Amino acid sequence: MPTPSAGRFLQNALHRAGITARPDGDSGSDYIAIPVGAHGIIMIGGVIGRAKENEIHYRPSEHQGWGAVYYPDTKNNDGTFTEFYQSTNPNLAQDTAHVVKAVQDTIAGR
């Protein structure tokens, strides 16, 4: 059975890596949210500047890269964040493996 979306593929990969993640977003964007510590959060979506920017619910064949940012304190959100992964790799499996590793490294460093 084919993967229904690139976001589901990513969420499954994060789950296999033991990382708690959930889809989130609003009327202007979709992303995967990963809680970090008491108030921090990582958000992953389509890479900035590409056709699927800030999206996760698209066909795997349309993948153009993941982008990930870390917000250290969403409770007192002052707009501070760190962009730690940006890719234009259209290979969903490779790119997903790389972003999962980057997420693991970011979480370990917090």
Side-chain angles (χ1 to χ4, degrees), residues 59-80:
R59 290 178 297 198
S61 63
E62 297 175 326
H63 184 68
Q64 297 179 12
W66 293 124
V69 296
Y70 169 68
Y71 289 87
D73 189 355
T74 58
K75 185 173 181 182
N76 299 306
N77 189 359
D78 64 359
T80 301

Side-chain angles (χ1 to χ4, degrees), residues 72-95:
D73 189 355
T74 58
K75 185 173 181 182
N76 299 306
N77 189 359
D78 64 359
T80 301
F81 67 91
T82 302
E83 182 179 87
F84 66 90
Y85 187 84
Q86 291 293 317
S87 168
T88 57
N89 184 348
N91 183 307
L92 179 62
Q94 287 177 356
D95 198 27

Side-chain angles (χ1 to χ4, degrees), residues 19 42 68 84-85 96-108:
I19 299 169
I42 290 172
F84 66 90
Y85 187 84
T96 299
H98 292 158
V99 76
V100 168
K101 175 70 170 113
V103 166
Q104 289 171 321
D105 291 348
T106 298
I107 291 170

Side-chain angles (χ1 to χ4, degrees), residues 4-84:
S5 73
R8 172 50 48 190
F9 188 88
L10 173 59
Q11 194 169 357
N12 290 344
L14 290 163
H15 178 73
R16 285 191 304 276
I19 299 169
T20 301
R22 61 179 165 69
D24 204 344
D26 55 32
S27 63
S29 63
D30 285 318
Y31 49 87
I32 297 288
I34 303 163
V36 180
H39 303 294
I41 194 164
I42 290 172
M43 293 191 295
I44 304 172
V47 73
I48 295 169
R50 307 292 280 194
K52 299 300 178 185
E53 179 179 346
N54 296 325
E55 293 182 41
I56 59 171
H57 298 296
Y58 54 84
R59 290 178 297 198
S61 63
E62 297 175 326
H63 184 68
Q64 297 179 12
W66 293 124
V69 296
Y70 169 68
Y71 289 87
D73 189 355
T74 58
K75 185 173 181 182
N76 299 306
N77 189 359
D78 64 359
T80 301
F81 67 91
T82 302
E83 182 179 87
F84 66 90

